[in-house]
Amino acid sequence: MLRTVFLAFLLSCPGASVYAEELKVAVAANFKPSLDVLAKAFEANTGHRLLISSASTGVLYNQITHGAPFDIFLSADSLRPELLEKKGLTLKGSRSPYALGELVLWSPGFSAKEGKTMTLEDLAVYQGRLAIANPATAPYGLAAQQVLEKLGFWSSFRSRLVQGASVQQAWQFVASGNIPAGLVAKAQLVDNDGHIFSIPATLYDPIQQDLVILKRTRQPEAARAFVAFILSPSAQRTIARQGYFPVSTTMADKTTSENRREAL
């Protein structure tokens, strides 16, 4: 009797499925806020539920290689998904880019003191502390290191860098007012009031964010439905509004993505 009532309830819900599954998603810290937005639409359209775990890409990669029971991994780079694929830990053909990230120099503390947004020229003579993510575990941290090395600033900044475990923590260092400036993800600053300087794409390797379905999943069809949703034009438009360059070639504003690819 209870089962009959439950099925009748599900069928009465628009977009719900009697075959709804629960998917465990590991997501890089930078993309967590965007995934929270996307999850609501995905769950409403499919009835599937997402259980989201967030950390730096390197930490999640290590958890997955040690048997963490995730169904899907949304990385902040393309390297870790490729390594998981080579280790035979992913469903064949499931690896795909889902967003392109952008690094920016964010300087609310510096700007409040100096009365202007910090540029790379200001960074050359800046004597304060700078927040970045850990280059060993976070792709945005590695990009920050590449920028400082290409500008010839790495040695002078080594003792003044404050490294977060993830780019989200690096953002928190600056947002809290403890650090005047940081190299963080543009997507973290969509709702910010400014003090942002875009870093030229030529100063760091492309931050291509890839996803994979993990081979241990027990819900492959639901996982494939999630991937199809993330790559759909509507989800890609949401991703663009969240501060990323989309990867879909069918979305309405594809020109933005193509320009970015050329710039990279």
Side-chain angles (χ1 to χ4, degrees), residues 5 17 68 83 104-105 111 119 121 134 141 159 161 170 193 196-198 209 235 259 262:
V5 172
S17 167
L83 291 174
V104 297
L105 175 59
S111 301
T119 66
E121 291 182 352
N134 184 346
S159 62
L161 291 177
D193 59 356
I196 301 167
F197 180 84
S198 293
Q209 302 197 189
N259 287 345
E262 291 174 2

Side-chain angles (χ1 to χ4, degrees), residues 3-232:
R3 177 179 173 80
T4 301
V5 172
F6 177 66
L7 290 174
F9 170 75
L10 282 179
L11 290 171
S12 68
C13 298
S17 167
V18 295
Y19 302 109
E21 302 283 4
E22 192 172 80
L23 293 171
K24 297 181 178 63
V25 181
V27 60
N30 71 288
F31 199 73
K32 169 68 163 47
S34 299
L35 183 57
D36 286 340
V37 173
L38 293 166
K40 294 177 182 176
F42 175 73
E43 292 175 346
N45 288 334
T46 65
H48 299 314
R49 182 182 174 215
L50 302 183
L51 296 181
I52 300 171
S53 297
S54 176
S56 71
T57 287
V59 168
L60 292 173
Y61 171 81
N62 288 331
Q63 291 177 353
I64 291 168
T65 57
H66 285 83
F70 296 119
D71 297 293
I72 300 165
F73 176 37
L74 280 78
S75 178
D77 66 7
S78 58
L79 175 62
R80 269 78 169 200
E82 184 177 0
L83 291 174
L84 291 174
E85 188 177 66
K86 289 180 178 178
K87 290 176 180 290
L89 296 177
T90 66
L91 285 189
K92 187 177 180 181
S94 67
R95 182 163 62 91
S96 173
Y98 65 93
L100 296 171
E102 185 175 359
L103 191 73
V104 297
L105 175 59
W106 183 37
S107 62
F110 171 88
S111 301
K113 182 179 179 182
E114 301 292 335
K116 63 175 184 176
T117 297
M118 181 184 286
T119 66
L120 294 183
E121 291 182 352
D122 297 315
L123 192 63
V125 295
Y126 173 63
Q127 295 299 313
R129 294 181 295 172
L130 184 71
I132 67 170
N134 184 346
T137 58
Y140 284 87
L142 178 60
Q145 179 177 341
Q146 291 171 343
V147 170
L148 294 175
E149 287 178 339
K150 286 195 175 181
L151 292 173
F153 300 164
W154 180 248
S155 297
S156 62
F157 267 102
R158 286 293 295 271
S159 62
R160 294 181 286 129
L161 291 177
V162 180
Q163 295 186 13
S166 67
V167 73
Q168 184 67 13
Q169 190 173 41
W171 173 86
Q172 289 171 341
F173 290 152
V174 182
S176 65
N178 290 320
I179 306 297
L183 291 166
V184 298
K186 182 181 180 181
Q188 295 171 296
L189 304 168
V190 170
D191 298 324
N192 193 267
D193 59 356
H195 315 307
I196 301 167
F197 180 84
S198 293
I199 304 294
T202 52
L203 293 179
Y204 58 97
D205 293 340
I207 306 176
Q208 176 178 309
Q209 302 197 189
D210 281 7
L211 60 79
V212 286
I213 300 174
L214 297 168
K215 201 171 185 177
R216 62 174 61 95
T217 182
R218 295 181 178 178
Q219 296 83 228
E221 293 309 314
R224 289 190 180 95
F226 173 78
V227 172
F229 169 77
I230 286 291
L231 300 180
S232 69

